[in-house]
Amino acid sequence: MIIIDGHCDVLWKMYENPLINFYEPQQAELDVNYENIIRSGVKIQCFAIYLPESIKQPKFDDYLEYINIFYQKIAINDKLTVIKNQSDLLQVMNGTKVGAILTLEGADAINDHSLYTQILYHLGVRMIGVTWNYANWAADGILEARKGGFSKKGKRFIKECNDLGIILDASHLSVRSFWDLADHSSSPIVATHSNAEAVCKHPRNLKDDQIRALIIKGGRIGMTFVPWFVSDAGTASIAQLIKHIEHVCALGGEKHVVLGSDFDGFDKKITDLEHTGQMDNLAQQLSRFYSDQTVEGFLYRNWFSFFKTNLPVS
């Protein structure tokens, strides 16, 4: 089994608790640790820079602190390769090492400084979610009361990311911001950790027209394992998660469904899908309904084909 996971919050936990060791056997404080990655055959893991709400005025230095954690405590091991371009991607997929992609969740501290965006690119950030749930200088998030879209500065930021080769993530955007991003991005966009609103009414989930737009644009929709994004009841099963996959497929998205677990970003878990080491349980249940080729698409091929096309060439 091979898996690519488009979103986790390991760096946030390691920021909050510097004593956590990603490589320590049976590291129970992390859902995603090296042991669980190897157990489930995770080939590529995306690591998000997420600044908690306790940081009231985010600074660029806060991003640098997370990036320092990533390189000093995760990317130091020769068993893991940082993926920055298509060549790195192919090297990982054809080799024995695990790959890691650095991402950013919330562009607040960039604050319209194109130099900051370029520095993040040079440090390895290859995917950016422009907002978390609320507004910043670039756009409104999904819980912002005014429900606005991208600012002029934000639209300029879209072009800067397109030009650099940074993938843009629509998760957490307001509905209007989503459509602004879809309209202004010259490159395909993704929603790394968002499910289907038709199955579960959580505001972070995507409406059918948004899912169709991602499909048409050649993007990806990352199924997230957060229970209250899976079921309106707030508790969830793997079978209920699969209903979201079924819905996206019914809209024509079989080649666009990917995984974006959001592990380490929430406490309450789906039964039997409580950490990365249990990904095989999801694979087994998917195999009851879909062909091996389709399941491989969900687990890794759809992400792989996207990254192969949309990461920088070198």
Side-chain angles (χ1 to χ4, degrees), residues 87-124:
S87 177
D88 295 335
L89 176 72
L90 293 174
Q91 180 183 346
V92 167
M93 294 303 294
N94 294 325
T96 59
K97 295 183 180 181
V98 174
I101 299 176
L102 191 57
T103 74
L104 174 63
E105 185 174 25
D108 301 51
I110 293 176
N111 202 22
D112 193 32
H113 291 293
S114 60
L115 178 60
Y116 286 174
T117 309
Q118 293 174 52
I119 289 171
L120 290 174
Y121 176 84
H122 293 313
L123 291 175

PDB file of all heavy atoms in Angstrom, residues 87-124:
ATOM      1  N   SER A  87      11.598  16.559  -9.854  1.00  0.00           N
ATOM      2  CA  SER A  87      12.709  15.611  -9.760  1.00  0.00           C
ATOM      3  C   SER A  87      12.738  14.941  -8.393  1.00  0.00           C
ATOM      4  O   SER A  87      12.910  13.720  -8.281  1.00  0.00           O
ATOM      5  CB  SER A  87      14.030  16.330 -10.033  1.00  0.00           C
ATOM      6  OG  SER A  87      15.120  15.454  -9.885  1.00  0.00           O
ATOM      7  N   ASP A  88      12.550  15.741  -7.329  1.00  0.00           N
ATOM      8  CA  ASP A  88      12.498  15.184  -5.974  1.00  0.00           C
ATOM      9  C   ASP A  88      11.340  14.207  -5.841  1.00  0.00           C
ATOM     10  O   ASP A  88      11.455  13.153  -5.211  1.00  0.00           O
ATOM     11  CB  ASP A  88      12.330  16.302  -4.938  1.00  0.00           C
ATOM     12  CG  ASP A  88      13.504  17.255  -4.869  1.00  0.00           C
ATOM     13  OD1 ASP A  88      14.627  16.845  -5.225  1.00  0.00           O
ATOM     14  OD2 ASP A  88      13.291  18.413  -4.448  1.00  0.00           O
ATOM     15  N   LEU A  89      10.199  14.575  -6.421  1.00  0.00           N
ATOM     16  CA  LEU A  89       9.007  13.726  -6.359  1.00  0.00           C
ATOM     17  C   LEU A  89       9.278  12.357  -6.965  1.00  0.00           C
ATOM     18  O   LEU A  89       8.976  11.320  -6.355  1.00  0.00           O
ATOM     19  CB  LEU A  89       7.857  14.415  -7.095  1.00  0.00           C
ATOM     20  CG  LEU A  89       6.557  13.625  -7.222  1.00  0.00           C
ATOM     21  CD1 LEU A  89       5.844  13.534  -5.877  1.00  0.00           C
ATOM     22  CD2 LEU A  89       5.638  14.283  -8.263  1.00  0.00           C
ATOM     23  N   LEU A  90       9.856  12.349  -8.149  1.00  0.00           N
ATOM     24  CA  LEU A  90      10.126  11.081  -8.819  1.00  0.00           C
ATOM     25  C   LEU A  90      11.171  10.274  -8.076  1.00  0.00           C
ATOM     26  O   LEU A  90      11.083   9.036  -8.006  1.00  0.00           O
ATOM     27  CB  LEU A  90      10.576  11.349 -10.262  1.00  0.00           C
ATOM     28  CG  LEU A  90       9.501  11.943 -11.184  1.00  0.00           C
ATOM     29  CD1 LEU A  90      10.089  12.290 -12.537  1.00  0.00           C
ATOM     30  CD2 LEU A  90       8.320  11.001 -11.331  1.00  0.00           C
ATOM     31  N   GLN A  91      12.157  10.958  -7.492  1.00  0.00           N
ATOM     32  CA  GLN A  91      13.182  10.268  -6.719  1.00  0.00           C
ATOM     33  C   GLN A  91      12.563   9.545  -5.528  1.00  0.00           C
ATOM     34  O   GLN A  91      12.915   8.396  -5.229  1.00  0.00           O
ATOM     35  CB  GLN A  91      14.227  11.269  -6.230  1.00  0.00           C
ATOM     36  CG  GLN A  91      15.350  10.658  -5.400  1.00  0.00           C
ATOM     37  CD  GLN A  91      16.320  11.701  -4.866  1.00  0.00           C
ATOM     38  OE1 GLN A  91      16.316  12.842  -5.305  1.00  0.00           O
ATOM     39  NE2 GLN A  91      17.132  11.305  -3.896  1.00  0.00           N
ATOM     40  N   VAL A  92      11.627  10.205  -4.848  1.00  0.00           N
ATOM     41  CA  VAL A  92      10.959   9.586  -3.704  1.00  0.00           C
ATOM     42  C   VAL A  92      10.092   8.424  -4.149  1.00  0.00           C
ATOM     43  O   VAL A  92      10.144   7.320  -3.586  1.00  0.00           O
ATOM     44  CB  VAL A  92      10.120  10.628  -2.936  1.00  0.00           C
ATOM     45  CG1 VAL A  92       9.170   9.943  -1.942  1.00  0.00           C
ATOM     46  CG2 VAL A  92      11.035  11.594  -2.186  1.00  0.00           C
ATOM     47  N   MET A  93       9.282   8.630  -5.184  1.00  0.00           N
ATOM     48  CA  MET A  93       8.356   7.590  -5.615  1.00  0.00           C
ATOM     49  C   MET A  93       9.083   6.360  -6.140  1.00  0.00           C
ATOM     50  O   MET A  93       8.567   5.242  -6.048  1.00  0.00           O
ATOM     51  CB  MET A  93       7.406   8.134  -6.679  1.00  0.00           C
ATOM     52  CG  MET A  93       6.454   9.221  -6.182  1.00  0.00           C
ATOM     53  SD  MET A  93       5.411   8.721  -4.784  1.00  0.00           S
ATOM     54  CE  MET A  93       4.389   7.473  -5.550  1.00  0.00           C
ATOM     55  N   ASN A  94      10.284   6.551  -6.672  1.00  0.00           N
ATOM     56  CA  ASN A  94      11.052   5.425  -7.218  1.00  0.00           C
ATOM     57  C   ASN A  94      12.078   4.871  -6.238  1.00  0.00           C
ATOM     58  O   ASN A  94      12.777   3.907  -6.555  1.00  0.00           O
ATOM     59  CB  ASN A  94      11.771   5.860  -8.498  1.00  0.00           C
ATOM     60  CG  ASN A  94      10.803   6.187  -9.620  1.00  0.00           C
ATOM     61  OD1 ASN A  94       9.766   5.552  -9.747  1.00  0.00           O
ATOM     62  ND2 ASN A  94      11.138   7.177 -10.429  1.00  0.00           N
ATOM     63  N   GLY A  95      12.159   5.465  -5.048  1.00  0.00           N
ATOM     64  CA  GLY A  95      13.176   5.052  -4.079  1.00  0.00           C
ATOM     65  C   GLY A  95      12.586   4.476  -2.809  1.00  0.00           C
ATOM     66  O   GLY A  95      11.408   4.116  -2.748  1.00  0.00           O
ATOM     67  N   THR A  96      13.419   4.404  -1.780  1.00  0.00           N
ATOM     68  CA  THR A  96      13.015   3.791  -0.515  1.00  0.00           C
ATOM     69  C   THR A  96      12.683   4.814   0.569  1.00  0.00           C
ATOM     70  O   THR A  96      12.143   4.451   1.606  1.00  0.00           O
ATOM     71  CB  THR A  96      14.137   2.877   0.002  1.00  0.00           C
ATOM     72  OG1 THR A  96      15.340   3.645   0.196  1.00  0.00           O
ATOM     73  CG2 THR A  96      14.423   1.756  -0.983  1.00  0.00           C
ATOM     74  N   LYS A  97      12.990   6.079   0.333  1.00  0.00           N
ATOM     75  CA  LYS A  97      12.783   7.086   1.366  1.00  0.00           C
ATOM     76  C   LYS A  97      11.356   7.620   1.364  1.00  0.00           C
ATOM     77  O   LYS A  97      10.646   7.561   0.350  1.00  0.00           O
ATOM     78  CB  LYS A  97      13.766   8.246   1.179  1.00  0.00           C
ATOM     79  CG  LYS A  97      15.224   7.873   1.371  1.00  0.00           C
ATOM     80  CD  LYS A  97      16.109   9.100   1.241  1.00  0.00           C
ATOM     81  CE  LYS A  97      17.582   8.744   1.426  1.00  0.00           C
ATOM     82  NZ  LYS A  97      18.451   9.935   1.319  1.00  0.00           N
ATOM     83  N   VAL A  98      10.945   8.160   2.492  1.00  0.00           N
ATOM     84  CA  VAL A  98       9.680   8.877   2.613  1.00  0.00           C
ATOM     85  C   VAL A  98       9.900  10.315   2.161  1.00  0.00           C
ATOM     86  O   VAL A  98      10.966  10.894   2.367  1.00  0.00           O
ATOM     87  CB  VAL A  98       9.192   8.852   4.076  1.00  0.00           C
ATOM     88  CG1 VAL A  98       7.955   9.726   4.257  1.00  0.00           C
ATOM     89  CG2 VAL A  98       8.908   7.426   4.519  1.00  0.00           C
ATOM     90  N   GLY A  99       8.892  10.891   1.516  1.00  0.00           N
ATOM     91  CA  GLY A  99       8.970  12.277   1.081  1.00  0.00           C
ATOM     92  C   GLY A  99       8.142  13.192   1.972  1.00  0.00           C
ATOM     93  O   GLY A  99       7.133  12.785   2.547  1.00  0.00           O
ATOM     94  N   ALA A 100       8.583  14.449   2.087  1.00  0.00           N
ATOM     95  CA  ALA A 100       7.867  15.449   2.870  1.00  0.00           C
ATOM     96  C   ALA A 100       7.716  16.720   2.048  1.00  0.00           C
ATOM     97  O   ALA A 100       8.674  17.165   1.402  1.00  0.00           O
ATOM     98  CB  ALA A 100       8.614  15.752   4.167  1.00  0.00           C
ATOM     99  N   ILE A 101       6.508  17.277   2.049  1.00  0.00           N
ATOM    100  CA  ILE A 101       6.246  18.557   1.380  1.00  0.00           C
ATOM    101  C   ILE A 101       5.823  19.561   2.444  1.00  0.00           C
ATOM    102  O   ILE A 101       4.927  19.291   3.252  1.00  0.00           O
ATOM    103  CB  ILE A 101       5.159  18.419   0.305  1.00  0.00           C
ATOM    104  CG1 ILE A 101       5.596  17.432  -0.790  1.00  0.00           C
ATOM    105  CG2 ILE A 101       4.833  19.780  -0.313  1.00  0.00           C
ATOM    106  CD1 ILE A 101       4.543  17.169  -1.846  1.00  0.00           C
ATOM    107  N   LEU A 102       6.470  20.716   2.437  1.00  0.00           N
ATOM    108  CA  LEU A 102       6.182  21.763   3.408  1.00  0.00           C
ATOM    109  C   LEU A 102       5.091  22.672   2.858  1.00  0.00           C
ATOM    110  O   LEU A 102       5.163  23.134   1.708  1.00  0.00           O
ATOM    111  CB  LEU A 102       7.461  22.561   3.682  1.00  0.00           C
ATOM    112  CG  LEU A 102       7.484  23.541   4.858  1.00  0.00           C
ATOM    113  CD1 LEU A 102       7.143  22.850   6.171  1.00  0.00           C
ATOM    114  CD2 LEU A 102       8.849  24.214   4.938  1.00  0.00           C
ATOM    115  N   THR A 103       4.059  22.924   3.677  1.00  0.00           N
ATOM    116  CA  THR A 103       2.932  23.760   3.262  1.00  0.00           C
ATOM    117  C   THR A 103       2.663  24.830   4.312  1.00  0.00           C
ATOM    118  O   THR A 103       3.173  24.770   5.428  1.00  0.00           O
ATOM    119  CB  THR A 103       1.666  22.908   3.039  1.00  0.00           C
ATOM    120  OG1 THR A 103       1.129  22.503   4.303  1.00  0.00           O
ATOM    121  CG2 THR A 103       1.962  21.671   2.196  1.00  0.00           C
ATOM    122  N   LEU A 104       1.851  25.795   3.946  1.00  0.00           N
ATOM    123  CA  LEU A 104       1.486  26.883   4.852  1.00  0.00           C
ATOM    124  C   LEU A 104      -0.025  26.996   4.925  1.00  0.00           C
ATOM    125  O   LEU A 104      -0.709  27.009   3.897  1.00  0.00           O
ATOM    126  CB  LEU A 104       2.085  28.205   4.357  1.00  0.00           C
ATOM    127  CG  LEU A 104       1.693  29.475   5.115  1.00  0.00           C
ATOM    128  CD1 LEU A 104       2.177  29.432   6.563  1.00  0.00           C
ATOM    129  CD2 LEU A 104       2.243  30.717   4.402  1.00  0.00           C
ATOM    130  N   GLU A 105      -0.551  27.092   6.141  1.00  0.00           N
ATOM    131  CA  GLU A 105      -1.996  27.233   6.367  1.00  0.00           C
ATOM    132  C   GLU A 105      -2.247  28.605   6.995  1.00  0.00           C
ATOM    133  O   GLU A 105      -2.140  28.781   8.199  1.00  0.00           O
ATOM    134  CB  GLU A 105      -2.491  26.112   7.289  1.00  0.00           C
ATOM    135  CG  GLU A 105      -3.984  26.090   7.479  1.00  0.00           C
ATOM    136  CD  GLU A 105      -4.449  24.883   8.268  1.00  0.00           C
ATOM    137  OE1 GLU A 105      -3.652  24.324   9.044  1.00  0.00           O
ATOM    138  OE2 GLU A 105      -5.622  24.495   8.115  1.00  0.00           O
ATOM    139  N   GLY A 106      -2.569  29.572   6.154  1.00  0.00           N
ATOM    140  CA  GLY A 106      -2.802  30.925   6.630  1.00  0.00           C
ATOM    141  C   GLY A 106      -1.648  31.847   6.280  1.00  0.00           C
ATOM    142  O   GLY A 106      -0.565  31.738   6.856  1.00  0.00           O
ATOM    143  N   ALA A 107      -1.881  32.767   5.330  1.00  0.00           N
ATOM    144  CA  ALA A 107      -0.810  33.646   4.838  1.00  0.00           C
ATOM    145  C   ALA A 107      -0.763  34.979   5.570  1.00  0.00           C
ATOM    146  O   ALA A 107      -0.185  35.949   5.072  1.00  0.00           O
ATOM    147  CB  ALA A 107      -1.003  33.888   3.339  1.00  0.00           C
ATOM    148  N   ASP A 108      -1.312  35.026   6.779  1.00  0.00           N
ATOM    149  CA  ASP A 108      -1.438  36.288   7.517  1.00  0.00           C
ATOM    150  C   ASP A 108      -0.120  37.046   7.627  1.00  0.00           C
ATOM    151  O   ASP A 108      -0.048  38.260   7.404  1.00  0.00           O
ATOM    152  CB  ASP A 108      -1.980  36.017   8.927  1.00  0.00           C
ATOM    153  CG  ASP A 108      -3.334  35.329   8.912  1.00  0.00           C
ATOM    154  OD1 ASP A 108      -3.466  34.301   8.224  1.00  0.00           O
ATOM    155  OD2 ASP A 108      -4.248  35.804   9.600  1.00  0.00           O
ATOM    156  N   ALA A 109       0.955  36.354   7.997  1.00  0.00           N
ATOM    157  CA  ALA A 109       2.224  37.021   8.284  1.00  0.00           C
ATOM    158  C   ALA A 109       3.009  37.377   7.028  1.00  0.00           C
ATOM    159  O   ALA A 109       4.035  38.057   7.122  1.00  0.00           O
ATOM    160  CB  ALA A 109       3.081  36.155   9.213  1.00  0.00           C
ATOM    161  N   ILE A 110       2.547  36.954   5.867  1.00  0.00           N
ATOM    162  CA  ILE A 110       3.183  37.421   4.625  1.00  0.00           C
ATOM    163  C   ILE A 110       2.854  38.897   4.414  1.00  0.00           C
ATOM    164  O   ILE A 110       3.715  39.687   4.017  1.00  0.00           O
ATOM    165  CB  ILE A 110       2.730  36.572   3.423  1.00  0.00           C
ATOM    166  CG1 ILE A 110       3.255  35.143   3.557  1.00  0.00           C
ATOM    167  CG2 ILE A 110       3.214  37.186   2.105  1.00  0.00           C
ATOM    168  CD1 ILE A 110       2.786  34.193   2.463  1.00  0.00           C
ATOM    169  N   ASN A 111       1.601  39.249   4.693  1.00  0.00           N
ATOM    170  CA  ASN A 111       1.158  40.643   4.754  1.00  0.00           C
ATOM    171  C   ASN A 111       1.573  41.458   3.533  1.00  0.00           C
ATOM    172  O   ASN A 111       2.084  42.578   3.657  1.00  0.00           O
ATOM    173  CB  ASN A 111       1.672  41.308   6.037  1.00  0.00           C
ATOM    174  CG  ASN A 111       0.853  42.519   6.424  1.00  0.00           C
ATOM    175  OD1 ASN A 111      -0.307  42.649   6.005  1.00  0.00           O
ATOM    176  ND2 ASN A 111       1.436  43.405   7.212  1.00  0.00           N
ATOM    177  N   ASP A 112       1.360  40.873   2.360  1.00  0.00           N
ATOM    178  CA  ASP A 112       1.619  41.559   1.094  1.00  0.00           C
ATOM    179  C   ASP A 112       3.099  41.897   0.869  1.00  0.00           C
ATOM    180  O   ASP A 112       3.422  42.852   0.174  1.00  0.00           O
ATOM    181  CB  ASP A 112       0.777  42.839   0.982  1.00  0.00           C
ATOM    182  CG  ASP A 112       0.766  43.410  -0.435  1.00  0.00           C
ATOM    183  OD1 ASP A 112       0.844  42.619  -1.398  1.00  0.00           O
ATOM    184  OD2 ASP A 112       0.714  44.646  -0.584  1.00  0.00           O
ATOM    185  N   HIS A 113       3.994  41.121   1.455  1.00  0.00           N
ATOM    186  CA  HIS A 113       5.427  41.296   1.188  1.00  0.00           C
ATOM    187  C   HIS A 113       5.847  40.203   0.207  1.00  0.00           C
ATOM    188  O   HIS A 113       6.011  39.046   0.594  1.00  0.00           O
ATOM    189  CB  HIS A 113       6.245  41.190   2.477  1.00  0.00           C
ATOM    190  CG  HIS A 113       6.031  42.325   3.425  1.00  0.00           C
ATOM    191  ND1 HIS A 113       6.430  43.617   3.135  1.00  0.00           N
ATOM    192  CD2 HIS A 113       5.475  42.369   4.654  1.00  0.00           C
ATOM    193  CE1 HIS A 113       6.122  44.413   4.152  1.00  0.00           C
ATOM    194  NE2 HIS A 113       5.534  43.682   5.082  1.00  0.00           N
ATOM    195  N   SER A 114       6.027  40.556  -1.046  1.00  0.00           N
ATOM    196  CA  SER A 114       6.386  39.548  -2.044  1.00  0.00           C
ATOM    197  C   SER A 114       7.716  38.894  -1.715  1.00  0.00           C
ATOM    198  O   SER A 114       7.936  37.721  -2.035  1.00  0.00           O
ATOM    199  CB  SER A 114       6.424  40.168  -3.441  1.00  0.00           C
ATOM    200  OG  SER A 114       7.380  41.212  -3.510  1.00  0.00           O
ATOM    201  N   LEU A 115       8.608  39.628  -1.036  1.00  0.00           N
ATOM    202  CA  LEU A 115       9.884  39.045  -0.633  1.00  0.00           C
ATOM    203  C   LEU A 115       9.656  37.884   0.323  1.00  0.00           C
ATOM    204  O   LEU A 115      10.337  36.852   0.235  1.00  0.00           O
ATOM    205  CB  LEU A 115      10.784  40.100   0.027  1.00  0.00           C
ATOM    206  CG  LEU A 115      12.142  39.609   0.547  1.00  0.00           C
ATOM    207  CD1 LEU A 115      12.982  39.036  -0.590  1.00  0.00           C
ATOM    208  CD2 LEU A 115      12.880  40.737   1.250  1.00  0.00           C
ATOM    209  N   TYR A 116       8.684  38.021   1.237  1.00  0.00           N
ATOM    210  CA  TYR A 116       8.379  36.932   2.172  1.00  0.00           C
ATOM    211  C   TYR A 116       7.903  35.692   1.413  1.00  0.00           C
ATOM    212  O   TYR A 116       8.274  34.568   1.747  1.00  0.00           O
ATOM    213  CB  TYR A 116       7.310  37.370   3.166  1.00  0.00           C
ATOM    214  CG  TYR A 116       7.763  38.337   4.228  1.00  0.00           C
ATOM    215  CD1 TYR A 116       6.850  38.903   5.117  1.00  0.00           C
ATOM    216  CD2 TYR A 116       9.100  38.703   4.368  1.00  0.00           C
ATOM    217  CE1 TYR A 116       7.246  39.793   6.108  1.00  0.00           C
ATOM    218  CE2 TYR A 116       9.509  39.593   5.353  1.00  0.00           C
ATOM    219  CZ  TYR A 116       8.576  40.142   6.212  1.00  0.00           C
ATOM    220  OH  TYR A 116       8.958  41.013   7.187  1.00  0.00           O
ATOM    221  N   THR A 117       7.052  35.912   0.417  1.00  0.00           N
ATOM    222  CA  THR A 117       6.567  34.778  -0.376  1.00  0.00           C
ATOM    223  C   THR A 117       7.738  34.077  -1.056  1.00  0.00           C
ATOM    224  O   THR A 117       7.821  32.845  -1.073  1.00  0.00           O
ATOM    225  CB  THR A 117       5.556  35.254  -1.427  1.00  0.00           C
ATOM    226  OG1 THR A 117       4.552  36.049  -0.802  1.00  0.00           O
ATOM    227  CG2 THR A 117       4.897  34.070  -2.125  1.00  0.00           C
ATOM    228  N   GLN A 118       8.649  34.849  -1.612  1.00  0.00           N
ATOM    229  CA  GLN A 118       9.811  34.280  -2.279  1.00  0.00           C
ATOM    230  C   GLN A 118      10.709  33.529  -1.297  1.00  0.00           C
ATOM    231  O   GLN A 118      11.237  32.455  -1.615  1.00  0.00           O
ATOM    232  CB  GLN A 118      10.601  35.374  -2.987  1.00  0.00           C
ATOM    233  CG  GLN A 118       9.851  36.008  -4.152  1.00  0.00           C
ATOM    234  CD  GLN A 118      10.599  37.180  -4.752  1.00  0.00           C
ATOM    235  OE1 GLN A 118      11.772  37.067  -5.097  1.00  0.00           O
ATOM    236  NE2 GLN A 118       9.917  38.307  -4.874  1.00  0.00           N
ATOM    237  N   ILE A 119      10.880  34.079  -0.094  1.00  0.00           N
ATOM    238  CA  ILE A 119      11.703  33.405   0.919  1.00  0.00           C
ATOM    239  C   ILE A 119      11.072  32.064   1.301  1.00  0.00           C
ATOM    240  O   ILE A 119      11.769  31.050   1.413  1.00  0.00           O
ATOM    241  CB  ILE A 119      11.877  34.304   2.166  1.00  0.00           C
ATOM    242  CG1 ILE A 119      12.789  35.489   1.831  1.00  0.00           C
ATOM    243  CG2 ILE A 119      12.457  33.509   3.341  1.00  0.00           C
ATOM    244  CD1 ILE A 119      12.847  36.549   2.914  1.00  0.00           C
ATOM    245  N   LEU A 120       9.756  32.045   1.499  1.00  0.00           N
ATOM    246  CA  LEU A 120       9.075  30.785   1.809  1.00  0.00           C
ATOM    247  C   LEU A 120       9.291  29.765   0.696  1.00  0.00           C
ATOM    248  O   LEU A 120       9.523  28.584   0.963  1.00  0.00           O
ATOM    249  CB  LEU A 120       7.581  31.029   2.028  1.00  0.00           C
ATOM    250  CG  LEU A 120       7.200  31.792   3.303  1.00  0.00           C
ATOM    251  CD1 LEU A 120       5.704  32.096   3.311  1.00  0.00           C
ATOM    252  CD2 LEU A 120       7.592  31.018   4.554  1.00  0.00           C
ATOM    253  N   TYR A 121       9.229  30.237  -0.532  1.00  0.00           N
ATOM    254  CA  TYR A 121       9.480  29.336  -1.659  1.00  0.00           C
ATOM    255  C   TYR A 121      10.899  28.775  -1.585  1.00  0.00           C
ATOM    256  O   TYR A 121      11.111  27.562  -1.729  1.00  0.00           O
ATOM    257  CB  TYR A 121       9.258  30.065  -2.980  1.00  0.00           C
ATOM    258  CG  TYR A 121       9.592  29.216  -4.181  1.00  0.00           C
ATOM    259  CD1 TYR A 121       8.666  28.319  -4.697  1.00  0.00           C
ATOM    260  CD2 TYR A 121      10.853  29.289  -4.790  1.00  0.00           C
ATOM    261  CE1 TYR A 121       8.965  27.519  -5.789  1.00  0.00           C
ATOM    262  CE2 TYR A 121      11.166  28.496  -5.875  1.00  0.00           C
ATOM    263  CZ  TYR A 121      10.229  27.614  -6.370  1.00  0.00           C
ATOM    264  OH  TYR A 121      10.548  26.818  -7.442  1.00  0.00           O
ATOM    265  N   HIS A 122      11.874  29.630  -1.363  1.00  0.00           N
ATOM    266  CA  HIS A 122      13.267  29.178  -1.300  1.00  0.00           C
ATOM    267  C   HIS A 122      13.499  28.212  -0.138  1.00  0.00           C
ATOM    268  O   HIS A 122      14.375  27.336  -0.214  1.00  0.00           O
ATOM    269  CB  HIS A 122      14.210  30.374  -1.179  1.00  0.00           C
ATOM    270  CG  HIS A 122      14.247  31.240  -2.404  1.00  0.00           C
ATOM    271  ND1 HIS A 122      14.378  30.737  -3.677  1.00  0.00           N
ATOM    272  CD2 HIS A 122      14.148  32.587  -2.551  1.00  0.00           C
ATOM    273  CE1 HIS A 122      14.363  31.724  -4.563  1.00  0.00           C
ATOM    274  NE2 HIS A 122      14.228  32.858  -3.895  1.00  0.00           N
ATOM    275  N   LEU A 123      12.708  28.352   0.926  1.00  0.00           N
ATOM    276  CA  LEU A 123      12.838  27.462   2.085  1.00  0.00           C
ATOM    277  C   LEU A 123      12.041  26.165   1.910  1.00  0.00           C
ATOM    278  O   LEU A 123      12.079  25.313   2.788  1.00  0.00           O
ATOM    279  CB  LEU A 123      12.392  28.188   3.353  1.00  0.00           C
ATOM    280  CG  LEU A 123      13.311  29.334   3.813  1.00  0.00           C
ATOM    281  CD1 LEU A 123      12.706  30.064   4.999  1.00  0.00           C
ATOM    282  CD2 LEU A 123      14.705  28.822   4.162  1.00  0.00           C
ATOM    283  N   GLY A 124      11.334  26.028   0.789  1.00  0.00           N
ATOM    284  CA  GLY A 124      10.698  24.752   0.491  1.00  0.00           C
ATOM    285  C   GLY A 124       9.192  24.720   0.543  1.00  0.00           C
ATOM    286  O   GLY A 124       8.593  23.666   0.283  1.00  0.00           O
TER     287      GLY A 124
END
